Amino acid sequence: MKDTDIIMNNLFGDIPAEVRAEVELQFDVATRIAEVLKAKGVSQKELAERLNKKEAEISKWLTGTHNFTLKTLALISNALGEKIVDVPREPEICFVPIETYIDSKINNYTFTLNRGSNFFLVDTFCNISPNHVTS
Amino acid sequence: MWSNAKIKLIVRTKEMSLYSFVIDNNIKTEFERFKEYGNSLSNPTLKNEFYKIMQLLREMLNKTGALERLFRNEGKMKDHTCAVLTYYTGKKRDAIRLYCLRFSDNILLVGNGGIKPKGITTYQEDERLNACVEDLQLLDKKIFEAGFAGVGGIQIINEIPIGIEGAEFSIDK
């Protein structure tokens, strides 16, 4: 263990895990909002105006320990046109008949699949084609 | 208010350097004393808030440095005194404050703090908090005096004091 790690552990090692997890999340959300504001060239004042809030409220959000509601996060996302948090989802599985796939290649059209879908080709007997598993 | 103060480096990460200071005959730094104070709190809400403040410092050390948005200015406009806090509406219940001198995103000097009792709006209304802020304001003044005078190895570069580690100051009373 490096000296810095030992010092950090002595300083902060007794913080309960649940407090640590909570503040980590709050801090990361505040950092994300600050980064989106910077990337989009939006000032705290402008964001306050878009959300019909006081600038002091935005400033408080960015101090790193604000307990955001989902509604507030949705409002911020909407006002900035950018997702603030992204909840991981299990990718969907789409089964596509192999005949359709071949037809798409012959007639030159493409499938539109949901974002994150796994793409499995199946033959007429519903066997998944092992050589055609793509994502 | 202190008569002698010595600045000590607490920890340095790739994001920032965290300093504190030892006053008069104390052995521990003001930050260590704040930590002891926080650990001794019996009120679970305040204890939780103390832990949040500590975790906030850890996040700064690990991730961002001491960014301006993470602090609230206290004291006078011309000094660097600010507070780390996690609960704002102190009129409704007691709250914890930790006072610091924020010199830049990379240099933070933490002092002491305590409970801001409900019903008060300014730190001056509480003896302990006022003493914490005054100690920092005096240290801030002495650091910049030394820096501008070019003594004690302190330099002021772009309004930021450099070389404060180990610096000692005395006040004639």
Side-chain angles (χ1 to χ4, degrees):
Chain A
M1 200 184 247
K2 288 187 295 181
D3 288 352
T4 308
D5 296 336
I6 294 167
I7 297 167
M8 291 289 279
N9 196 47
N10 287 340
L11 287 173
F12 305 112
D14 54 359
I15 300 171
E18 65 273 17
V19 174
R20 187 176 163 175
E22 182 187 347
V23 177
E24 271 180 5
L25 198 53
Q26 290 167 338
F27 192 89
D28 288 347
V29 169
T31 302
R32 169 74 180 144
I33 296 168
E35 283 171 355
V36 173
L37 286 174
K38 192 177 175 187
K40 299 218 166 222
V42 178
S43 67
Q44 291 186 29
K45 191 180 175 189
E46 280 175 78
L47 180 62
E49 284 166 1
R50 289 182 195 182
L51 294 170
N52 201 22
K53 301 267 184 195
K54 289 180 181 166
E55 196 179 343
E57 180 78 12
I58 311 298
S59 173
K60 204 166 79 177
W61 289 351
L62 298 179
T63 53
T65 53
H66 184 72
N67 199 9
F68 290 96
T69 63
L70 293 177
K71 186 180 176 183
T72 304
L73 288 175
L75 286 170
I76 297 168
S77 292
N78 199 42
L80 294 175
E82 189 91 39
K83 270 195 173 182
I84 299 300
V85 288
D86 205 359
V87 181
R89 291 185 214 168
E90 285 297 315
E92 289 175 43
I93 296 172
C94 292
F95 293 98
V96 180
I98 200 160
E99 296 85 347
T100 310
Y101 178 76
I102 293 166
D103 187 54
S104 74
K105 293 294 174 193
I106 294 167
N107 295 306
N108 197 26
Y109 62 86
T110 54
F111 299 104
T112 303
L113 297 174
N114 292 331
R115 191 168 69 92
S117 294
N118 282 335
F119 184 142
F120 290 92
L121 294 176
V122 289
D123 61 22
T124 44
F125 304 103
C126 289
N127 293 314
I128 297 174
S129 175
N131 296 324
H132 291 93
V133 178
T134 57
S135 58
Chain B
M1 208 173 292
W2 53 266
S3 300
N4 295 288
K6 184 175 181 179
I7 297 175
K8 287 182 79 174
L9 176 71
I10 303 288
V11 66
R12 181 173 285 135
T13 66
K14 66 180 174 58
E15 299 295 339
M16 61 184 265
S17 297
L18 185 73
Y19 298 92
S20 188
F21 63 116
V22 182
I23 57 175
D24 300 332
N25 297 320
N26 291 342
I27 295 166
K28 294 183 174 171
T29 65
E30 288 302 283
F31 180 56
E32 286 167 329
R33 294 178 69 212
F34 171 74
K35 204 168 170 262
E36 279 183 354
Y37 174 87
N39 280 322
S40 71
L41 291 167
S42 55
N43 179 314
T45 305
L46 293 176
K47 185 84 171 262
N48 194 56
E49 204 180 315
F50 159 73
Y51 284 135
K52 282 186 176 183
I53 286 173
M54 293 298 290
Q55 181 62 29
L56 193 54
L57 280 178
R58 180 197 233 165
E59 295 290 315
M60 291 180 209
L61 284 158
N62 284 336
K63 294 178 181 172
T64 60
L67 300 180
E68 195 175 4
R69 67 175 169 82
L70 302 169
F71 299 85
R72 188 161 83 177
N73 286 329
E74 300 276 359
K76 298 165 188 160
M77 288 298 285
K78 64 180 179 182
D79 67 34
H80 298 84
T81 318
C82 56
V84 182
L85 61 160
T86 65
Y87 184 77
Y88 286 79
T89 47
K91 282 187 175 177
K92 290 181 187 168
R93 67 158 171 83
D94 293 350
I96 304 281
R97 297 288 184 264
L98 169 63
Y99 295 101
C100 328
L101 294 176
R102 181 192 166 275
F103 295 123
S104 73
D105 291 354
N106 316 106
I107 305 172
L108 183 70
L109 190 151
V110 278
N112 207 330
I115 297 172
K116 185 177 180 186
K118 70 174 177 182
I120 71 164
T121 45
T122 63
Y123 68 83
Q124 290 97 330
E125 294 169 70
D126 181 83
E127 198 177 331
R128 180 188 167 94
L129 299 187
N130 191 48
C132 293
V133 174
E134 283 187 347
D135 281 347
L136 282 167
Q137 286 174 325
L138 179 60
L139 186 63
D140 186 51
K141 186 173 167 237
K142 288 289 163 191
I143 288 170
F144 277 83
E145 278 177 6
F148 286 125
V151 295
I154 300 175
Q155 286 179 287
I156 308 295
I157 299 172
N158 295 329
E159 298 179 30
I160 299 167
I162 307 295
I164 60 173
E165 187 178 343
E168 284 188 75
F169 305 96
S170 294
I171 307 292
D172 295 326
K173 288 189 175 174

